[in-house]
Amino acid sequence: YQSLRRRHKRLEAKLEEMRLVAQGRRVREEAELYVSQLLDLPDNLDEIEDELNPSEYEAYADQVVDQATASATIPELEAEIFSLQALEAQARQVVESRSDSKWAELSKLLHDEPEMRDEAGHQRKLIIFTEHRDTLNYLKSRISDMLGNADAVVTIHGGTNRDERRKVQELFRQDKAVRVLIATDAAGEGVNLQVANLMVNYDLPWNPNRIEQRFGRIHRIGQREVCHLWNLVAANTREGEVFQTLFDKLEVAREALGGQVFDILGEAFENRSLKELLIEAIRYGNLPETRARQHQVIDGALDTSHLKAVLERNALVDNPLSIESLYAIKEEMDKAEARKLQPHFIHAFFEAAFQRYGGELRPRESGRFEIPHVPAVIRERDRQMAETRTPVLRTYTRVCFDKRYIHADGRPTADLVHPAHPLMAALLDLVMEDFRNVARQGAVLVDPVDEGTEPRLLLQIDHSIDEGSGPQARTLSRRLQFVSVTPAGDVTFAGWAPHLDLEPLEPADHTLVQPLLQQGWLDAGLEQRALAYASTQVVPAHYDEVRERQERHIERVEKAVHERLVKEINYLTHRAIQLQSEVRAGKQPKMQPDQLNRRAEELSARLDARKKELAAMRHIVAKPPVVLGGALVIPAGLLARLRGEPAVSSVDAAARARIEQLAMKAVIAAEEALGHSVKDVAAEKCGWDVTARLPLVENELRDDRLIEVKGRAKGATTVTVTRNEILCALNKPHQFLLAIVLVDEAGNTEGPFYLKHPFDQEPGWAVTSVNLNLGALLERATSIEHTLHS
């Protein structure tokens, strides 16, 4: 009704212009300019549909519905307007009756389908897709009335700006009061809506790509529920017959391909588009030969062998990596996994910081929490942060800090809070603003496992790698790393998170260490020396890693862009030449050669623009490192001496170092004897001492053994493990091994003795190291061969 009403007004305006021209009161050029401003459409809308994003196509399609006409004279236009008036009156009667069959079917679905409600009888979240904004507004009104709550229904359409779209998506995902999302295809642009598993296509697009994109919002990796899709198709219509045939064949193909058919639906119609079939059905659907041809095309498009060929064509196995490359990637993944910030620390920080600004985290299911209200100060900070596009909500039904707790049977999906989550990002920004100066002032910390007597300075180094320069620069990678500086000025890499193994100084010891803070070496330009070290050692390694990764990415993109655009340009140019031959022969082809030539020129311009963009992406810049903060680290041995307690002698320290070296040699020799490729990574401080690479089995990669080595003198009763070692073991439980080697006074070794899963829980937030009973560990330990078989 709304489309007919707007179309009526548009054509009335055009008719008035044509009458003014006929009466000589307006020149034809002015009228044509006026009409061209009303109808600013591309010549080849059907052809470029896949090139337009859904929002652009929605805007163009609405203009076509409202404005397009084939009437060329005043009488023709008057006749068309007369017909429109009758149609408009009929449509108004249907709207005013509030009784139409499509709405009745949807209403029945919402009330009667058992999938619409969970075990407790509460309505599940539902997504309804429609083609036009008028239909969207109509459904919002009717569903809101039916539910008795206008806030339970949210909408996304082509006119929804990006920030509002993100806000609506988050409301739908997180606000338990929001039950229904009504959307046009503008919500199908790379959006994850898998919080829902129910979808209704109230209107069906004539482009199978759009159908595929819609269902892909919920039917995607990570979805734990069975997805249900209802397509509302008008029975006894020519359009309905084509769609019914399509869906019948889709069901057969789905069963044959294990559900993968929706992944390639958009590519199935290669020789004849679905849109062409539908237009042909509407025009000539009563002809038997037309129906037969439609069945033949759909059968061919959804033929199982054809679909399998498309799947194989899309498989990313053209350039398999070498075994060495796979091992290198896997080693980097293991290190990244081990050094990532653990959920325990994120949770502890978030809870303390959130409470500081007036927030409350209410425990719900195991590992899951509810946030009933986010303080205004946090939401306002989020609004000020331009880089955070997803908004911070007022409430969160469920949040968690460990990905194991995202899903819980019969419960709402939880938002995983991580450093890049908008709520955490806003909270981090507030904390950094309030405490940045404190970090710069530094701290005094104790290393409980260092029995030496020399203090050291631990500095936090922040460095970034950017793509491009100036306002267009984009951060590709940013890291926080640590360097250690001794009183002699020696600078070394301190590892990924050495501060986690350090303890705060007891209040009673503050006066004891005060003289250390006055020592001259702390003012001897150590910060500049640390920055110089970072610039020559830490940053180049980071830069090379990012540059290599970026180069590989750019090469893949360049290849894909070149293959696709050059192929299409060549096709259009060749087709234009063919059509020119037809025109010279006196034929009148449906598509004019000039249109194809213009399209080829546009694609050539796009190819040049993409090449320039990719060239700019190769401009990678390492930003200067910056010291964010630091701490004076007091070894436990030095603190014991300051307290007047007996210190560990240098002889004892040398003996301990010797035992550790002999233990490392014993473990490396044992692993090599089994045919493993062994790498000593103790100096890299990645959370374990030895990486043992197992040989291939039937040409398949096997997980590396990540071994933490503990050497102990015979007769010792305890083994000390740090917080970092425990967390690394818990984070890589299937690969981590604790290896114990006993060493006698003569240097003879016994072992190694291996323990899988040596730790069963995270240390408390204030625990930096734990002493374990050596005898109990050895009772549970196994031989190296047994660890391999188990």
Side-chain angles (χ1 to χ4, degrees):
Y1 165 65
Q2 296 293 346
S3 295
L4 291 169
R5 187 178 60 82
R6 284 196 304 269
R7 182 179 178 82
H8 186 185
K9 288 184 177 180
R10 297 279 193 180
L11 297 188
E12 287 278 14
K14 182 177 181 181
L15 177 61
E16 181 63 22
E17 288 299 316
M18 293 175 72
R19 284 172 175 166
L20 291 173
V21 171
Q23 296 169 7
R25 293 164 58 187
R26 178 171 293 183
V27 298
R28 180 173 298 277
E29 287 76 9
E30 291 178 349
E32 290 175 349
L33 175 61
Y34 171 79
V35 173
S36 69
Q37 289 171 343
L38 281 178
L39 188 60
D40 184 17
L41 298 169
D43 295 333
N44 53 344
L45 182 60
D46 283 349
E47 294 174 30
I48 66 170
E49 178 179 354
D50 286 334
E51 305 294 332
L52 300 172
N53 67 48
S55 297
E56 292 171 337
Y57 185 77
E58 183 181 323
Y60 281 138
D62 284 344
Q63 287 186 59
V64 170
V65 171
D66 291 351
Q67 299 166 204
T69 178
S71 301
T73 66
I74 290 177
E76 288 176 351
L77 195 54
E78 288 174 335
E80 183 173 353
I81 292 172
F82 181 78
S83 298
L84 269 176
Q85 288 173 332
L87 291 170
E88 185 182 345
Q90 284 184 304
R92 184 173 61 250
Q93 290 174 0
V94 174
V95 172
E96 291 173 350
S97 72
R98 294 181 66 81
S99 175
D100 66 87
S101 59
K102 207 171 203 181
W103 162 252
E105 191 65 30
L106 176 62
S107 179
K108 189 164 64 175
L109 277 175
L110 296 177
H111 281 108
D112 299 342
E113 285 293 330
E115 290 85 3
M116 291 289 173
R117 299 190 177 275
D118 60 21
E119 293 81 356
H122 300 132
Q123 185 183 348
R124 296 180 185 271
K125 289 184 182 286
L126 168 70
I127 302 169
I128 301 175
F129 271 103
T130 183
E131 282 286 272
H132 302 288
R133 199 181 307 179
D134 294 318
T135 312
L136 178 145
N137 294 330
Y138 170 72
L139 289 176
K140 176 176 172 57
S141 173
R142 299 213 65 169
I143 295 174
S144 297
D145 290 345
M146 186 181 75
L147 298 177
N149 179 11
D151 293 335
V153 184
V154 293
T155 63
I156 296 176
H157 52 75
T160 309
N161 66 46
R162 182 177 297 177
D163 290 344
E164 182 64 20
R165 190 175 303 178
R166 291 285 185 92
K167 181 179 179 181
V168 169
Q169 291 166 18
E170 287 302 297
L171 282 171
F172 183 66
R173 291 178 63 243
Q174 282 297 324
D175 193 331
K176 57 187 176 185
V178 177
R179 311 308 305 170
V180 180
L181 168 64
I182 310 173
T184 63
D185 285 309
E189 300 174 88
V191 178
N192 181 355
L193 296 172
Q194 65 183 208
V195 67
N197 67 312
L198 310 178
M199 180 181 291
V200 173
N201 277 325
Y202 192 81
D203 298 319
L204 277 162
W206 286 10
N207 184 337
N209 279 321
R210 302 272 191 240
I211 301 176
E212 177 185 323
Q213 289 165 2
R214 288 179 180 184
F215 197 43
R217 297 313 98 218
I218 63 170
H219 187 257
R220 58 197 293 137
I221 293 173
Q223 174 62 266
R224 293 165 60 89
E225 303 292 334
V226 176
C227 292
H228 298 272
L229 170 65
W230 291 266
N231 296 301
L232 299 186
V233 180
N236 302 317
T237 66
R238 294 176 182 177
E239 178 195 34
E241 288 179 4
V242 174
F243 273 121
Q244 190 58 54
T245 304
L246 172 66
F247 291 129
D248 289 344
K249 298 296 181 182
L250 271 177
E251 182 60 23
V252 174
R254 185 190 64 78
E255 292 179 1
L257 295 173
Q260 295 184 76
V261 66
F262 266 99
D263 300 338
I264 55 168
L265 180 58
E267 298 180 57
F269 291 87
E270 294 182 320
N271 299 319
R272 190 82 181 279
S273 73
L274 177 60
K275 177 179 289 185
E276 288 175 330
L277 288 181
L278 287 161
I279 292 173
E280 187 178 65
I282 291 169
R283 286 177 174 167
Y284 315 112
N286 58 331
L287 299 177
E289 59 268 26
T290 299
R291 294 187 178 188
R293 190 160 55 248
Q294 290 165 1
H295 284 277
Q296 182 181 2
V297 172
I298 293 176
D299 283 346
L302 299 182
D303 176 69
T304 303
S305 59
H306 171 64
L307 293 177
K308 284 182 177 179
V310 176
L311 282 169
E312 291 172 2
R313 188 175 67 207
N314 290 351
L316 301 178
V317 294
D318 292 339
N319 298 302
L321 295 171
S322 67
I323 292 298
E324 284 306 312
S325 298
L326 287 173
Y327 270 128
I329 292 171
K330 195 172 185 309
E331 183 177 357
E332 289 305 311
M333 290 173 66
D334 286 338
K335 290 179 181 178
E337 180 78 12
R339 68 185 178 230
K340 76 176 184 181
L341 195 59
Q342 301 298 319
H344 172 83
F345 293 109
I346 297 175
H347 179 192
F349 167 82
F350 180 90
E351 190 161 23
F354 198 53
Q355 289 175 355
R356 171 182 173 80
Y357 295 103
E360 179 186 4
L361 200 63
R362 294 181 182 175
R364 288 295 181 249
E365 304 84 23
S366 175
R368 292 153 57 90
F369 305 85
E370 180 184 3
I371 299 177
H373 176 70
V374 176
V377 64
I378 299 177
R379 286 184 279 116
E380 177 60 22
R381 177 51 57 97
D382 169 68
R383 190 187 65 80
Q384 297 170 6
M385 295 170 64
E387 69 272 14
T388 304
R389 305 303 304 176
T390 303
V392 170
L393 305 179
R394 291 179 178 272
T395 65
Y396 288 85
T397 305
R398 291 293 185 272
V399 298
C400 64
F401 302 90
D402 189 321
K403 61 185 179 183
R404 293 177 297 171
Y405 302 119
I406 292 175
H407 302 285
D409 291 340
R411 300 292 181 178
T413 302
D415 236 25
L416 179 65
V417 177
H418 50 81
H421 188 280
L423 182 56
M424 177 66 96
L427 199 57
L428 281 168
D429 202 59
L430 284 170
V431 170
M432 288 300 295
E433 182 180 271
D434 292 344
F435 293 99
R436 184 175 281 108
N437 290 336
V438 176
R440 289 288 300 171
Q441 289 170 8
V444 180
L445 302 173
V446 177
D447 188 340
V449 298
D450 185 356
E451 296 173 348
T453 58
E454 184 179 74
R456 64 184 184 275
L457 191 63
L458 184 68
L459 295 175
Q460 297 171 307
I461 305 293
D462 175 22
H463 56 99
S464 303
I465 308 297
D466 283 2
E467 170 193 285
S469 58
Q472 304 302 319
R474 182 176 70 92
T475 299
L476 289 175
S477 178
R478 184 181 180 189
R479 285 184 182 168
L480 177 69
Q481 293 184 325
F482 296 82
V483 296
S484 180
V485 188
T486 66
D490 297 328
V491 185
T492 56
F493 174 61
W496 296 102
H499 60 298
L500 299 181
D501 290 332
L502 305 178
E503 298 176 347
L505 192 67
E506 295 289 342
D509 295 328
H510 286 185
T511 55
L512 298 178
V513 303
Q514 197 64 34
L516 298 177
L517 300 176
Q518 312 303 322
Q519 291 181 354
W521 70 279
L522 291 173
D523 297 322
L526 297 184
E527 184 173 320
Q528 288 71 27
R529 191 171 299 178
L531 288 175
Y533 172 84
S535 298
T536 57
Q537 302 295 325
V538 179
V539 175
H542 183 197
Y543 174 83
D544 290 341
E545 176 188 332
V546 173
R547 180 182 55 78
E548 290 174 9
R549 184 174 67 238
Q550 183 76 345
E551 286 287 345
R552 289 196 300 269
H553 170 70
I554 293 171
E555 286 173 7
R556 288 196 299 269
V557 173
E558 276 184 336
K559 181 180 178 182
V561 168
H562 187 269
E563 285 181 355
R564 180 180 181 277
L565 292 181
V566 170
K567 180 179 178 181
E568 193 165 352
I569 290 167
N570 290 340
Y571 168 77
L572 291 171
T573 303
H574 176 69
R575 183 63 181 145
I577 293 171
Q578 288 180 325
L579 292 178
Q580 285 171 350
S581 299
E582 292 180 15
V583 171
R584 285 194 296 269
K587 297 180 181 179
Q588 289 297 324
K590 180 181 175 182
M591 180 68 63
Q592 293 301 311
D594 289 346
Q595 289 179 289
L596 296 181
N597 285 327
R598 284 199 302 271
R599 183 66 184 143
E601 290 173 6
E602 291 170 3
L603 291 179
S604 296
R606 183 189 298 180
L607 179 60
D608 292 339
R610 287 293 283 139
K611 286 180 177 179
K612 290 177 181 177
E613 290 174 9
L614 293 169
M617 288 173 64
R618 294 184 185 276
H619 184 61
I620 302 171
V621 180
K623 297 180 71 173
V626 177
V627 174
L628 295 183
L632 179 64
V633 180
I634 310 296
L638 175 58
L639 185 60
R641 191 178 73 181
L642 294 174
R643 290 172 176 169
E645 299 170 356
V648 178
S649 69
S650 59
V651 175
D652 291 337
R656 184 170 290 109
R658 174 174 169 270
I659 289 172
E660 290 172 354
Q661 290 173 0
L662 290 171
M664 285 286 289
K665 288 181 180 179
V667 170
I668 290 173
E671 293 291 325
E672 289 179 340
L674 291 169
H676 299 168
S677 174
V678 181
K679 185 177 181 181
D680 182 347
V681 295
E684 298 180 29
K685 303 182 186 296
C686 52
W688 62 92
D689 296 320
V690 172
T691 297
R693 179 175 299 168
L694 279 63
L696 298 178
V697 174
E698 296 181 355
N699 212 33
E700 288 189 6
L701 242 61
R702 301 162 72 189
D703 284 337
D704 292 340
R705 292 155 62 92
L706 313 177
I707 306 170
E708 173 61 31
V709 180
K710 296 293 181 183
R712 287 296 178 266
K714 277 196 172 182
T717 58
T718 61
V719 171
T720 301
V721 291
T722 67
R723 168 191 289 275
N724 262 351
E725 290 165 354
I726 295 174
L727 291 176
C728 179
L730 294 175
N731 202 37
K732 304 289 290 183
H734 303 297
Q735 295 176 254
F736 188 92
L737 292 170
L738 181 65
I740 300 173
V741 179
L742 302 179
V743 183
D744 63 19
E745 292 183 357
N748 299 314
T749 61
E750 185 178 340
F753 304 100
Y754 288 88
L755 278 92
K756 297 187 74 173
H757 311 296
F759 315 115
D760 54 8
Q761 63 181 15
E762 292 183 0
W765 67 271
V767 175
T768 55
S769 63
V770 177
N771 287 328
L772 304 177
N773 183 285
L774 178 57
L777 293 175
L778 291 175
E779 286 180 5
R780 283 189 52 200
T782 59
S783 67
I784 186 169
E785 291 85 359
H786 188 268
T787 64
L788 283 172
H789 295 311
S790 63

